[in-house]
Structure formats: structure tokens, C-alpha cells
Amino acid sequence: MLINLLIIFSIAVLLVALSRKRTYVHFFAQLFFAGQGTAAIWTVLHGGATELTYFTFDPLGTTYYGLMALVGWICCWQSVRYLDRESLRESKIYLVSFMALNLALTGVYLSNNITVTWIFLEATTLAAAGLTYHRRTLRSLEATWKYIFISSVGIAVAYLGVLLFSTVTSAAAMAATAGAAGETTEAMADLSYAGLAQAVAAGAGNTLYIKLAFLFILVGYSSKVEIFPFCTVGVDANHSAPTPASAFISSALVGGGFVAVFRVWKAIQGSAEVAAWSGHVLLLFGGLSLLMAAVYLGRTKNLKRLAAYSTVENSGLMMLGLGIGGWGVWAAVLHSLAHTLIKGSFLLQISVVGKMYGNYKVTRNGGYFRADPLGALVMVCCLLALIAMPPSVLFRTEYLIFTGLLSGGLWWIFVPVALLLVAVIYWLCAKILPLLSRPADLEQIDREGRNPWLSAVLLLLVVVTFAAGVWQAPELGALIDKIVY
């Protein structure tokens, strides 16, 4: 399947590059995303299978892959309408970069080896940089170089973690060889997540190496999952990229970063000492991410940056869930899955706002309910979902996280986290609600920028997350149980 997907990607890129008409360019790009959707269904039907040695269709990877295929297709659909005034050359570069990011994330989701995951995450840096620099302005140039430089530094730091993990798995392999042959010989390091989990559970290697490796990987991947300390480059990339691409970066790419961190975190849980230490680190990083989000949400005056810092806040909550353990892990996974749909929908609707108003200024725009009632309804539903108001599924996940903090005796974390979330809720409401109701001159609005079909689809996606918050389908619970346990 993966070979076929690579062939489809290569053909689509070639046809996009050779096409002389915008209609053909868009058609061939949509053809690739149709292939992505077909491949996602195929991976679900062949769950548990392994292809090309390094890719396994486990519940974690196939679930995120399916969500990425859905969100990616909707983002590509909106991109065609959003970038209708771009030149043919600019459209080609944008769509090729977008398809490359999708392909790289496919490798991140499905890889069963920590080194392969690292390689594909580096590939996402290059593809996302092409989207960030699309406008060719000084601001986009600055954001692109910051993204490339800091993300590459982060990936290099993460590679130190991979090297440290290789010493752990090498020690386990040498011990197994010595036990079988009666003497110690050099052995190949098994850097699959299963091999790493076995090595850690067996007590192979120095626990200090394991702790440092996890810390290096968490810091290195922080630019992808958009948590402290490298989350700011993700925010700048979201601000500079075309909004449909920002929707994909804030949803699917952040999901890829979470998958990469989650696989490593899960592999080191076999050692009680390392598991406890990693929990403390995740609590620290999650709390600092919430602090950054709460502070910068109050300062930003741009809708896209507002959504980006909301991503930092939600990613911080995911790290808190992993750090708590128990039901917190279950909540973190569900939170990440729901966030992929909600944040993608939110930013895609913001792209409609930008198309209509010609800008994303919080203080300048208003009257959106009168200009686009269906789109405004989507914005209200997304706002309710993001601030975790019932029936949002994020209310359920945050309730589980707070319960985990209290039951674990972490009230000294519970109080500041609760206060920071109050600040986040206040700033989101204070800056989004005026857009909907503030008096404005609607004569200056481009009503042709409305996309009622897109708004209807986005409303359906958000309503699905609401349904998950009201009623937990047994299939959903079973799926998350498989991912977590």
C-alpha cells in the first residue's frame, strides 16, 4: 500500500508540475488526497499488518492517519477557493508542498521505529517551510528561516535522544547474546518502539541515559507538538502560512508531534523510576505551555495567532494528561484526537473570515453573524469546543485531567492550571465574540468570500465532537483503550 501511495504522490506531483491550466492542477492535487483517503481505509481494514519492515498499521497510527486524510482533503478544497488569485506557479508550489507534508506525516504516523519517525519529522520541516514562505514577504521569510533553523536544532537535539536510546537497546541485545552464547559480543541496536520497550522493561542500560534521551526528544519535538520551549516557531509558521495550510499544521502536524512523543513515552513506561521521572517532566512542560498560551493570548490581536496560541494551550493539556498517568493518558489521547478536528475546523472557518474581511485583525472586524450566519454558527461552536464548555468533548477530557491532578495529590498544580485556563477562556471569548456581534459596515465586506458548503461540513465535524462529549460510543472507548493500553 505504501509503495502505491508513493507512486500516486509522484504521479500527482509530476502532473501538477506539467499542467498549464489551474483546473488541472487542482484536479490532480485532489486526486492525491483521494488516494490518501483510500489508503487510510486500507490501513484500517488491514490493522496490525507491517509493510516495508518499518511501518505498522496499529490503532494509534491508523486513527491519526484517517483524521489527517479527512482534514487534508478539506484543507485542499478550501485552498483552491482561498488562493484563487494566486498565479499558476504559486499554486503549484503550494500544492506540491502541501502534498509533501501529507506524505511525510504518513510516515510519522505509521512508523514503528524511532529513527524512521525522526527522519519523517525532519521531512515535515522542509515541507511546512514551503507553505510558510508562500506569500514571499519579509514576515514570511523571517518566519520560514526561524522555523527551519529552530526546528532543525530541535530535530538535532532529538537525534541525541535517539543515540542515547540506541545505547540502551544495544546493551539489551548484548545481554541477550551473552546469555545465549555464553560470551559478550557486539549486537545490532533494535530501535523499534517494541524493542525499546523490551530493553527498558528488562533494565538494560543506564537509567540516566533513558531519562536524558526522553528529555532530548521532548525538547526536540516541541516545535512539532507546539509546546514549551520551541512552540513559538509553530505560532509564527501558522501566522505566515495561508490559512488553510495553517489549519493543517495546527491539527495534523501537531497530531504527528503528539504521536511521536506518545510512542516514546509509552516505550519507557516499563521502568517505574523512569516513568515517574518522565511524568514530572511532562507536568513541567505542560504547565509552562499553559502559561505561555495564557500570556500571549492576552497580547495577540490577530485571529490566526489567537488560534495558534490556543493550540499551545491544548498541547500543554495533553502533556499534563500524560504526566498524570492513568486516566490522564486516556484523556490526553482523546483530547488530541478531538483537537485535530476542532482546531482544523476553527482555522478553516477563520480562512473564510479572512477572505471576506481582507484581514485577521481582532479589533477591526465585526458583524459576522449578519454577514455569514452559518459561518458564524461554526465559529460559536468551535469557541464552545475550545473553551471546553459542555457539550464539548474537551470538557470531558479536562475533567479527567483535573480529577487525576486532585486524586494524585497534585493540588499545587491544579490551582495554577485552573487559573490559567480561566485566563485562556476569558481571552478567547473577549476576542472572538466581538467579531460576531460588533457593529460594522457590511458594505466593505466581500460576501463572495463565503463558503456555505465548507461551513456546513465544518459544522458537522464539530457536532461530531459534541456527540462524543455527550455520549461515548463503545467503539470510541474501545479504540482509545487499544491505543493507550
Side-chain angles (χ1 to χ4, degrees):
M1 185 279 294
L2 294 176
I3 293 296
N4 293 334
L5 183 61
L6 183 61
I7 292 173
I8 292 173
F9 170 77
S10 302
I11 293 174
V13 168
L14 179 62
L15 293 175
V16 166
L18 295 178
S19 297
R20 295 180 178 273
K21 291 185 177 181
R22 189 183 301 272
T23 304
Y24 295 154
V25 170
H26 297 160
F27 172 77
F28 293 129
Q30 294 284 358
L31 182 66
F32 168 75
F33 285 99
Q36 280 279 36
T38 304
I41 295 173
W42 196 94
T43 59
V44 172
L45 296 176
H46 295 78
T50 298
E51 282 195 3
L52 305 178
T53 305
Y54 298 110
F55 303 94
T56 300
F57 307 143
D58 62 344
L60 176 64
T62 54
T63 302
Y64 278 90
Y65 182 34
L67 290 178
M68 182 199 71
L70 174 62
V71 174
W73 175 75
I74 299 174
C75 290
C76 183
W77 172 33
Q78 172 62 2
S79 295
V80 172
R81 188 181 182 95
Y82 185 82
L83 302 174
D84 57 346
R85 298 179 183 177
E86 305 289 321
S87 68
L88 182 61
R89 177 176 178 274
E90 290 172 336
S91 297
K92 289 181 178 181
I93 295 174
Y94 173 86
L95 290 171
V96 169
S97 299
F98 195 27
M99 290 188 290
L101 181 56
N102 272 263
L103 190 68
L105 279 174
T106 301
V108 172
Y109 292 141
L110 301 179
S111 64
N112 58 27
N113 186 289
I114 190 172
T115 306
V116 177
T117 301
W118 179 87
I119 292 171
F120 278 100
L121 273 178
E122 175 63 14
T124 64
T125 300
L126 300 177
L131 298 173
T132 305
Y133 187 53
H134 178 76
R135 295 298 185 191
R136 307 293 195 273
T137 63
L138 290 177
R139 174 176 289 178
S140 64
L141 177 62
E142 178 186 2
T144 302
W145 278 114
K146 285 171 63 178
Y147 189 78
I148 293 175
F149 178 75
I150 297 180
S151 293
S152 298
V153 169
I155 291 294
V157 172
Y159 187 64
L160 294 177
V162 174
L163 292 178
L164 289 173
F165 275 135
S166 70
T167 65
V168 175
T169 55
S170 294
M174 291 174 64
T177 304
E183 59 181 5
T184 302
T185 58
E186 291 189 7
M188 182 70 69
D190 180 8
L191 287 174
S192 68
Y193 292 108
L196 177 59
Q198 292 176 359
V200 173
N206 192 325
T207 56
L208 177 61
Y209 288 175
I210 302 175
K211 293 176 182 178
L212 288 176
F214 178 74
L215 179 61
F216 287 153
I217 285 178
L218 186 62
V219 171
Y221 291 168
S222 64
S223 62
K224 304 301 180 182
V225 72
E226 295 192 17
I227 57 172
F228 175 88
F230 292 154
C231 58
T232 54
V233 294
V235 173
D236 289 339
N238 278 296
H239 186 202
S240 298
T243 313
S246 301
F248 189 78
I249 292 172
S250 284
S251 55
L253 183 53
V254 169
F258 177 79
V259 167
V261 171
F262 180 78
R263 289 193 188 278
V264 176
W265 172 85
K266 192 174 182 180
I268 64 175
Q269 296 306 294
S271 169
E273 177 187 351
V274 176
W277 182 87
S278 65
H280 296 152
V281 172
L282 287 166
L283 289 174
L284 176 63
F285 276 59
L288 291 174
S289 300
L290 282 173
L291 177 61
M292 289 188 66
V295 171
Y296 284 100
L297 278 172
R299 298 179 58 185
T300 186
K301 298 179 181 179
N302 183 283
L303 278 174
K304 291 175 67 176
R305 295 186 76 87
L306 194 76
Y309 281 116
S310 171
T311 300
V312 176
E313 174 244 338
N314 282 280
S315 295
L317 287 171
M318 297 172 205
M319 296 303 106
L320 286 177
L322 294 182
I324 295 167
W327 280 106
V329 181
W330 201 94
V333 173
L334 179 58
H335 195 103
S336 176
L337 293 173
H339 178 265
T340 300
L341 291 178
I342 295 169
K343 189 52 63 62
S345 300
F346 185 49
L347 272 162
L348 282 169
Q349 192 59 51
I350 286 178
S351 73
V352 177
V353 174
K355 192 72 173 175
M356 294 177 64
Y357 288 86
N359 66 83
Y360 297 98
K361 298 295 184 181
V362 172
T363 57
R364 289 177 56 184
N365 302 327
Y368 190 47
F369 247 124
R370 289 184 294 147
D372 184 9
L374 182 59
L377 180 60
V378 174
M379 292 289 286
V380 170
C381 291
C382 288
L383 177 61
L384 290 175
L386 290 173
I387 64 176
M389 291 292 290
S392 172
V393 67
L394 300 190
F395 171 80
R396 187 174 194 167
T397 59
E398 291 184 17
Y399 173 80
L400 290 174
I401 291 172
F402 281 130
T403 302
L405 288 173
L406 291 177
S407 61
L410 300 173
W411 59 267
W412 51 277
I413 296 179
F414 174 90
V415 174
V417 166
L419 293 175
L420 289 174
L421 286 181
V422 169
V424 168
I425 292 172
Y426 171 77
W427 288 123
L428 285 175
C429 292
K431 298 190 177 185
I432 293 176
L433 292 179
L435 166 69
L436 306 175
S437 57
R438 180 192 294 125
D441 182 7
L442 300 185
E443 297 297 328
Q444 304 298 323
I445 296 176
D446 180 14
R447 293 179 181 268
E448 296 298 321
R450 292 180 299 180
N451 192 344
W453 286 107
L454 173 68
S455 297
V457 171
L458 299 181
L459 182 60
L460 177 61
L461 293 181
V462 179
V463 169
V464 167
T465 66
F466 284 169
V470 175
W471 174 70
Q472 180 185 307
E475 294 79 9
L476 177 61
L479 173 63
I480 299 179
D481 286 342
K482 287 180 181 180
I483 292 173
V484 174
Y485 304 116

